Amino acid sequence: MNEMTPPQMASADTAPKSVGPSVPQGPIDRLFGLSERGTSIGREVMAGATTFAAMAYIIAVNPAIMSNAGMDRADLVSATALAAIFGSAMMGLCANLPLAVAPAMGSNVIFTYVIVKQMGMPWQGALAMVAFTGVLFLILSLSKLRERVARDVPEALKVGIQAAVGTLIVFIALRGAGFVVQNPSTYIAMGSLRSPSVLLTLFGLLLTPVLVVRRVPAALILSIAVLTLIGFFVPGANGKMVTSAPSAIMSWPRWPTSTFMALDVGYLFSHFIVALPLLFYFLCAEFFSTLGTLIGVTGAANLRRPDGSIPNATAAFATDATASIVGPLLGTSVVTAYIESITGVQAGGRTGLTSLTVAAFFCLALFFWPVFVIIPPQATAPALVLVGVLMMQGLARIDMTDLVNAVPIVLTLLVTVLTNNLINGMALGTLSHIALEVTMGRRSQIPAMVWGLGVVFVAYAIVIAQIF
C-alpha cells in the first residue's frame, strides 16, 4: 500500500530522534552503520516486526485479488511472500534503508480486473508486461531520466490516476464481498441486509476504520483475522459458512509451481500497441509511488542529507525495479516499497536491518499458507476499502476550485469507476488536461511527455475500436 499515508502514521516531527553516533560494536553494526545512525540491533528488530505487522495484510489480500485472474491462490500466497522476502532483503542489503518491499496494492487490482478480466489478456501475458515494466523502470532508475519524469508529469494527472485506482479498489472490494450487487433498475445496489454475509461485511466496514483511527497495532491484519474467525459461524450464499476450515494451521512452504516462470513474452510483443498505455500506467505508478515513499520514510527517519537529497536513492530505485522483475517471475504483480515502513521508523528503525527483519517475518509467514488461503472476501473487503480511501488523500494537495485541475481529476476518477476501466479514465483525464491547457493559451507549458501520452491514448482508442 505504497501510494498513501494512513492517519495512524505520524509525521516526521513525531519520529524518534537519533541519539547520535557512537563507536561501532560489531560486524552487523559496521555493515549497517547502526551506531552512526543512533540505533541498535534490538531497536531495528522491533522496528522490522512493527513494519511487518502493518503490511502483513498483503499476504491475504494480494492472493484474494489475483486469484480472480485464474491463478492458483495457494501459489499466490507463496509468490507474494517470496517477492516480499526478495525485495525487502535486497533493499536492506543494497540501499541500507528501513524500507519494506512487497507486491503493490492498486497494481494487483489493475492486473486482475482491467488487464485480464476486462481486456482478455491471459495472466501469463500480463505477468510478462509487468516484468517488462520493471526492466524499463530499472533503466529509468539508473539514468537521469528519473528526474525528468518526476518533473514533467502534472500533479493533477498523478493525483487523478491514484484517486481513480483507489475508487476502483473500493468498488471491486464491495462487489466481491456481495455488499454491492447488480440491479436491473439502478444497475447497482446494496446487497440485502437480511444476508448474514452482507451484515458481516457491514460490520467490517465499521470496525476497520475504528481500529485504524484508534491506532491499534496491525489494524488491517487484525480486522481481517477477526472477520475471518467470525466467518466460521456466518452462513454464506451457497449454504456453507463464509469461512471454510483450513486443511492445516501450518505446513511446509509451498513453491509457486503454477506461476513460477509462467510469463508469456510472445503475447506481450504481439499485442504491444494494446499494452502500451498499461505499460505507461505501471511505470508511472511504480515510479511516483516509490519516490513518494522514499521521501516520506527518509524524512520521518531524519535520514535526508542537508541538501534534502535521499541517501542511496539510486540503489533504492534500482532495488524496487529489480523486485518488479523478480515478482512476475514468481507469479505476482508490481513489487514496490511500502509507506507502512513509516510505522517501523516510528519504532526506531533507521537502517536496512529493519528491512531484513521484515524479510525474516515473511519467511515465517510461508509456513502458514493454509490459513491465508481460506480468508473470505468479506474479511478482506473492509481493509481494501480503507486502502482505497487512503489512496484518495492526494486530492487534498490539489486546488479543486481551478477547473484546469478539477476536470481531469474528476473525469479520470468517475470514468474509471463508471466504465470499470482505468485506461478510459486515464485517456479522458489526459486529453481534457491537454484541451484545457491549450484553451488557456498555455500550449507551450504542456510537457512533451504529456503530448506523447495523448497521442498514445488516441492510438489506443483507434486500435480498441477495431478490435471490439
Side-chain angles (χ1 to χ4, degrees):
M1 193 167 68
N2 53 299
E3 296 93 342
M4 72 298 289
T5 305
Q8 75 268 32
M9 297 177 184
S11 65
D13 295 334
T14 63
K17 305 298 182 183
S18 298
V19 296
S22 58
V23 180
Q25 298 298 315
I28 295 179
D29 193 330
R30 288 191 292 271
L31 177 63
F32 294 102
L34 302 180
S35 298
E36 180 184 348
R37 295 188 183 179
T39 185
S40 64
I41 293 177
R43 182 182 293 178
E44 294 292 301
V45 171
M46 181 59 67
T50 302
T51 298
F52 174 77
M55 63 183 291
Y57 67 89
I58 195 63
I59 308 176
V61 172
N62 192 53
I65 292 173
M66 295 191 65
S67 61
N68 289 295
M71 306 169 75
D72 184 86
R73 187 166 178 176
D75 282 355
L76 283 168
V77 171
S78 299
T80 299
L82 289 169
I85 292 167
F86 175 84
S88 297
M90 189 176 175
M91 184 67 75
L93 293 172
C94 297
N96 194 24
L97 291 172
L99 278 167
V101 178
M105 279 303 306
S107 295
N108 51 9
V109 173
I110 302 305
F111 178 98
T112 301
Y113 293 97
V114 175
I115 301 175
V116 176
K117 300 198 74 172
Q118 193 171 83
M119 299 180 63
M121 184 181 294
W123 59 264
Q124 295 89 342
L127 286 177
M129 186 178 67
V130 174
F132 184 70
T133 303
V135 172
L136 293 178
F137 184 40
L138 181 59
I139 296 171
L140 185 67
S141 299
L142 298 175
S143 71
K144 296 297 182 183
L145 289 174
R146 171 174 84 218
E147 289 80 5
R148 182 176 178 182
V149 173
R151 182 186 69 242
D152 286 356
V153 176
E155 184 71 8
L157 291 182
K158 290 185 287 186
V159 170
I161 293 171
Q162 179 175 310
V165 173
T167 309
L168 190 60
I169 287 175
V170 171
F171 178 69
I172 289 172
L174 294 178
R175 186 178 62 187
F179 194 82
V180 171
V181 296
Q182 290 183 336
N183 183 285
S185 301
T186 61
Y187 298 104
I188 59 172
M190 189 172 73
S192 173
L193 292 179
R194 290 178 293 182
S195 168
S197 61
V198 171
L199 291 176
L200 177 61
T201 306
L202 177 60
F203 172 68
L205 292 173
L206 300 176
L207 172 67
T208 305
V210 168
L211 294 176
V212 172
V213 170
R214 296 295 300 174
R215 300 184 182 180
V216 175
L220 294 184
I221 194 66
L222 179 60
S223 165
I224 292 173
V226 169
L227 294 170
T228 299
L229 290 174
I230 296 175
F232 281 114
F233 310 97
V234 175
N238 56 4
K240 300 179 181 179
M241 296 300 164
V242 168
T243 306
S244 303
S247 57
I249 301 299
M250 292 183 63
S251 180
W252 285 108
R254 170 172 172 157
W255 184 254
T257 307
S258 65
T259 60
F260 180 65
M261 296 295 290
L263 298 78
D264 186 350
V265 179
Y267 186 93
L268 168 64
F269 287 104
S270 64
H271 296 75
F272 190 76
I273 297 298
V274 175
L276 192 57
L278 291 164
L279 287 170
F280 179 83
Y281 163 75
F282 280 125
L283 185 63
C284 285
E286 185 172 5
F287 176 80
F288 289 111
S289 63
T290 302
L291 178 63
T293 300
L294 274 175
I295 292 172
V297 173
T298 56
N302 299 314
L303 292 177
R304 287 191 219 152
R305 301 187 181 101
D307 63 357
S309 62
I310 298 171
N312 302 325
T314 297
F317 273 109
T319 294
D320 212 57
T322 304
S324 278
I325 298 172
V326 172
L329 296 178
L330 292 167
T332 188
S333 185
V334 173
V335 180
T336 192
Y338 265 52
I339 194 66
E340 282 86 347
S341 302
I342 290 181
T343 60
V345 166
Q346 290 175 334
R350 293 294 182 273
T351 74
L353 186 55
T354 295
S355 303
L356 280 181
T357 303
V358 173
F361 273 100
F362 273 108
C363 285
L364 289 176
L366 279 171
F367 289 87
F368 294 91
W369 66 266
V371 174
F372 290 109
V373 170
I374 57 96
I375 295 174
Q378 289 79 8
T380 57
L384 287 171
V385 169
L386 193 64
V387 168
V389 170
L390 295 171
M391 289 181 72
M392 300 177 202
Q393 289 184 335
L395 294 172
R397 303 194 303 266
I398 304 297
D399 179 11
M400 296 297 285
T401 62
D402 183 354
L403 290 181
V404 176
N405 291 328
V407 170
I409 290 175
V410 173
L411 284 177
T412 302
L413 191 155
L414 290 181
V415 172
T416 294
V417 177
L418 294 178
T419 66
N420 200 29
N421 189 315
L422 175 67
I423 303 303
N424 289 345
M426 287 177 61
L428 206 52
T430 301
L431 294 175
S432 66
H433 173 80
I434 294 173
L436 288 168
E437 290 286 11
V438 170
T439 301
M440 296 295 292
R442 299 197 292 250
R443 181 193 300 267
S444 60
Q445 296 182 25
I446 302 175
M449 183 174 298
V450 176
W451 281 113
L453 184 57
V455 172
V456 167
F457 280 128
V458 170
Y460 175 81
I462 293 172
V463 170
I464 290 300
Q466 299 300 318
I467 295 175
F468 298 102

